[in-house]
Amino acid sequence: DIQLTQSPSFLSASVGDRVTITCRASQGIWSYLAWYQQKPGKAPKLLIYEASTLQSGVPSRFSGSGSGTDFTLTISSLQPEDFAAYYCQQLDSHPLTFGGGTKVEIK
Amino acid sequence: EGQVLESGGGLVQPGGSLRLSCAASGFTFNNYAMNWVRQAPGKGLEWVSGINSGGGGTYYADSVKGRFSISRDYSKNTLYLHMNSLRAEDTAVYYCARSRFGGHDLDSWGQGTLVTVSS
């Protein structure tokens, strides 16, 4: 099975900050990686698929990059509504594993 | 855009069984792969199982293989997760999620249903 390692697991930031979250796969997964946002008590929401394609309706301050084993999610200017947990997921092969998550909190 | 709505969660004893349902609406159910994802209290997301659009391909996490079974009923636009030999570590909110058309990433999620395994 493909393992995904996210870092950091916890991040404290201020409104307006540029935030970067990384996701490393245990083997190459081409660009088959998605990013999700989850707020407390809510279902996850798809932000980015195929490593860098923004899902419809997602603000352009979110961006994704990477291929192979190393990927990043960047929020260019953190907004109050962005404080949440973020997860990566590999879509290259079953089982479709998730990373451990990154919780973004207000500094 | 489409919606999915889970049901069937509840309290079950260790070793027991439960069947979760996911009713799909607002999209052509036949055309989409479907999945179950769970989240234990205070923990991260765990992909549990998936089924392709035709129903002929089913996939499972190692943690549930041999105990859980995924199926779909096209006449009812409904996805199921049959859970047997339940353990305390299966306690979680179970989400139904649709795979994006042409991909595997999950673009539409239900609100989740809580399964608690306890004596």
Side-chain angles (χ1 to χ4, degrees), chain A residues 1 33-34 36 38 41-46 48-50 55-56 87 89 91-92 94-100, chain B residues 1 35 37 39 43-47 50 59-62 95 99-100 102-107 109-112:
Chain A
D1 298 359
L33 188 99
Y36 301 87
Q38 187 182 31
K42 300 294 186 182
K45 171 187 172 183
L46 178 64
I48 288 169
Y49 61 92
E50 293 175 354
Q55 172 71 343
S56 175
Y87 296 90
Q89 184 193 23
L91 298 313
D92 180 66
H94 287 94
L96 305 179
T97 43
F98 285 94
Chain B
E1 274 296 314
N35 303 264
V37 175
Q39 187 168 37
K43 301 297 185 182
L45 301 173
E46 180 186 16
W47 179 88
Y59 311 92
Y60 300 93
D62 292 343
Y95 294 102
S99 290
R100 180 180 55 86
H104 290 296
D105 33 84
L106 310 177
D107 70 348
W109 296 65
Q111 86 292 344

Side-chain angles (χ1 to χ4, degrees), chain B residues 1-13:
Chain B
E1 274 296 314
Q3 287 188 320
V4 294
L5 182 64
E6 307 92 338
S7 60
L11 176 64
V12 60
Q13 292 190 336

Side-chain angles (χ1 to χ4, degrees), chain A:
Chain A
D1 298 359
I2 297 173
Q3 312 301 319
L4 294 180
T5 303
Q6 265 184 258
S7 61
S9 55
F10 176 86
L11 189 160
S12 182
S14 302
V15 172
D17 284 353
R18 181 181 181 89
V19 166
T20 299
I21 298 168
T22 66
C23 180
R24 174 164 288 177
S26 59
Q27 62 190 73
I29 57 171
W30 304 92
S31 295
Y32 298 124
L33 188 99
W35 290 97
Y36 301 87
Q37 177 192 66
Q38 187 182 31
K39 297 182 179 180
K42 300 294 186 182
K45 171 187 172 183
L46 178 64
L47 296 177
I48 288 169
Y49 61 92
E50 293 175 354
S52 61
T53 303
L54 205 62
Q55 172 71 343
S56 175
V58 174
S60 59
R61 63 181 179 272
F62 292 92
S63 64
S65 65
S67 66
T69 60
D70 294 307
F71 301 86
T72 60
L73 171 70
T74 299
I75 309 172
S76 60
S77 178
L78 201 63
Q79 297 302 299
E81 59 267 32
D82 301 337
F83 292 95
Y86 294 85
Y87 296 90
C88 57
Q89 184 193 23
Q90 65 84 17
L91 298 313
D92 180 66
S93 62
H94 287 94
L96 305 179
T97 43
F98 285 94
T102 297
K103 188 174 183 181
V104 178
E105 291 200 343
I106 301 173
K107 183 183 286 184

